[in-house]
Amino acid sequence: KGEIFQSRALSPMEKRLLMKFLQQCVTSTGIAEAKQGGWAIEGIGGSEQEQLGFKKAVGHVEGGLGHDSKTAASGTGWETNFLENQSLDGLLKEAKLSSKAADFIAHGIAMMSPSSSALAAVRRVQLYAKSIGRYSDSAFLACYYGTAEVPQGFCRMCAVYGGLYVLRRTPAYLLYGQEDGKCQGIICNKGQRLTAPLVICSSSYLPSSALPSVGQSLVRRCVCITSGQLPNTDGISLALIPPGSCGNSTCIRVLQMDWTAQACPRGKYVWYLWSETPGDCDLKAAVELLRRMAPSVGVHWCAFYSQSVWTQGESGQQTTDPQELKPGFWVVPPPSTDVDSGDAIQAGEKLFRSVCGEAAEFLEAMPEPEVSPASQR
């Protein structure tokens, strides 16, 4: 909240309308409700640090949820049935936000296009608000060595509980039972037969023709190693290149990592760029734009590549739902274009529920290690 009101990019009226919009998002859809006279907000977190961090982000939220289907004018949030039939762009226009403030909400906080669902955007704003103050003033956490440490952590825990790994092998053929047609394992590229009651496979091992129920589109990505950081940043930062800046029709996201994340040597920086619309976006133009903004920064190395994402329906919206192509054979989606790992966690939970049942506990807490009396002396 303080950073918004200290900014000179918005007028006082724009700031007030922006804060009102954020407060309405927080009290919408029944996720969070401020109680009278205090800061016990459901869904935000119970610790004093989390509550104060949320208060710092959006200010005091008056009242609770409204009872009408549309309560934008009352300052008490919107209900779900109203948001389901709205786009984010329509919601921003109804709130009478300027184009500058609307871009801040859509691209800076919700990180979605204006044509996206209003309900999904409001939930993104709520997630952002709930994250502020949980560990620091920022709403984001960055993994040491990058997000590749997350699957490595899973592999280590899996090994502790008896998981086996066959290295330097890829699936070449699938094995199916003659009677029930259920998948029973694979034959790897070395001819070795590996049997299992269930096969879960990455979509990168399959041709696009093997996924008839989903569409696919390409996302352009870029990695740069530089001698300096982006303008007006300090270390690990997330920046956005607005539409129209370098021929792009949608935002280009830029994630900057430094040596504190163990991503590069001290004094060097890593820039990750990606865009959701490969057809009309050239990331080379985006890199040149960043170089013009920071002429003293040298780009030591740069790589451009494309990555497929799953889509569904005529709208081409991204989907992260796992696909069971045959009984016992599941395919997991490729990484989405979101800045966080929320979609990957949701996909993992959906697959877990499909395989283990709804009653099973997902991401069960690790048991505390047993401490012997001798070690306590």
Side-chain angles (χ1 to χ4, degrees), residues 24 39 52 92 128 184 244 267 328 335 377:
Q24 287 174 275
W39 269 100
L52 290 177
L92 294 171
Y128 185 92
Q184 296 181 348
R377 296 174 185 172

Side-chain angles (χ1 to χ4, degrees), residues 43-59:
I44 300 301
S47 71
E48 181 180 0
Q49 182 182 7
E50 292 167 345
Q51 296 287 326
L52 290 177
F54 175 82
K55 182 177 179 181
K56 180 180 179 182
V58 299

Side-chain angles (χ1 to χ4, degrees), residues 187-238:
I187 297 177
C188 72
N189 60 333
K190 299 296 184 180
Q192 186 177 6
R193 183 188 181 102
L194 304 171
T195 59
L198 186 71
V199 175
I200 301 174
C201 177
S202 167
S203 60
S204 61
Y205 292 117
L206 301 177
S208 57
S209 58
L211 299 168
S213 59
V214 297
Q216 296 195 49
S217 64
L218 293 178
V219 175
R220 292 193 177 183
R221 299 182 183 271
C222 170
V223 182
C224 299
I225 301 176
T226 69
S227 62
Q229 55 189 344
L230 296 168
N232 302 318
T233 61
D234 184 17
I236 301 175
S237 303
L238 177 65

